[in-house]
Amino acid sequence: MYTSITEAILDGNLYDIAELVQSSLDSGNNPHEVFNAMNAGLKGCGERFEEGEFFLCDLIMAGEAFTKGMKVLEPHLADVSTGLAGKVLLGTVAGDVHDIGKNLVGFLLKSAGFEVIDIGRDNDTESFVQAVKEHQPDVLGMSALLTTTMLGMGDVIKTMDEEGLREKTKLIIGGGPVSKRFAEQIGADAYASDAVEGVKKIKELVGR
Ligand code: B12
């Protein structure tokens, strides 16, 4: 059954989402349940888009409503974000603007105690490699949602190999078109099909 929060995401309701999230928290609901309600809205949007009921504009509005809701929710989810679990750098590959999934991974990592550096979307090889050199993360997580952009992940891994950056930084990939097999082909250390599995795999990569 949809809650009003799920419905607000589905409707791309930018006017009410922040207040709905705040009042749900005020009435004592667990922040993770509020997160799940927002997530259900996004999932519903994806399904409706694929069924032809929703259009791109609906998805954009839903994504913005999600981001607005997360601004209220994030401090409640991230209150255990000590950075002690490790440092993770996240980014979406070149030519790809899909960032909702990557953002979810980031939110869950923070609530699991990781420090998260998010370099956003549309990152080419140079941008990833530069950020790895600057931040020296324990793990680099790359996201791709398009079959045309996923190949960029292999270029990043190749350059990191050439520049000797894989000693310190492990690599995990995720996103709709990528798979365990693709991860193996391009030499990534891990693949995850969703954010929960992603956090689990990243904990394994940093030895926790
Ligand atoms: C929302 C959406 C958009 C939004 C994106 C808004 C945003 N800020 O992200 C907008 C409207 C902008 C958009 C645009 C386009 N989109 Co679009 N979009 C979607 C849609 C409906 C949902 C994606 C989503 O957010 N899902 C919800 C999140 C939570 O799931 P997720 O992204 O899969 O992430 C999870 C896992 O994959 C994993 N994960 C993801 N990344 C990572 C990274 C790491 C490190 C780890 C561990 C895990 C992980 O964990 C996440 C959480 O569980 C999908 C359909 C679908 N079912 O995927 C199409 C889809 C991805 N889009 C598609 C297309 C074609 C486009 C456009 C080209 C459309 C167009 N003609 O313009 C443009 C491309 C723009 C570009 N250059 O990138 C196609 C891709 C086809 C393909 N295989 O190449 C899809 C599959 C739709 C379809 N069936 O045709 N899109």
Side-chain angles (χ1 to χ4, degrees), residues 39 42-43 45-47 49-50 56-57 59-60 63 90 95-102 104-105 121 140-149 172-177 191-199 202:
N39 207 4
L42 277 184
K43 200 161 168 266
C45 278
E47 287 161 7
F49 181 73
E50 273 160 18
L56 282 181
C57 53
L59 299 180
I60 293 169
L90 289 178
D96 203 324
V97 304
H98 296 88
D99 64 356
I100 297 172
K102 165 187 69 60
L104 279 185
V105 175
R121 34 195 196 182
L140 165 63
M142 289 188 281
S143 178
L145 265 284
L146 298 172
T147 42
T148 47
T149 60
I172 183 167
I173 63 167
Y191 155 78
S193 62
D194 62 38
V196 173
E197 192 190 347
V199 174
I202 288 169

Side-chain angles (χ1 to χ4, degrees), residues 35 66 70 74 77 103-112:
F35 176 79
F66 183 84
M70 273 324 277
E74 197 183 354
L77 285 174
N103 295 347
L104 279 185
V105 175
F107 291 132
L108 289 196
L109 281 170
K110 283 188 202 166
S111 53

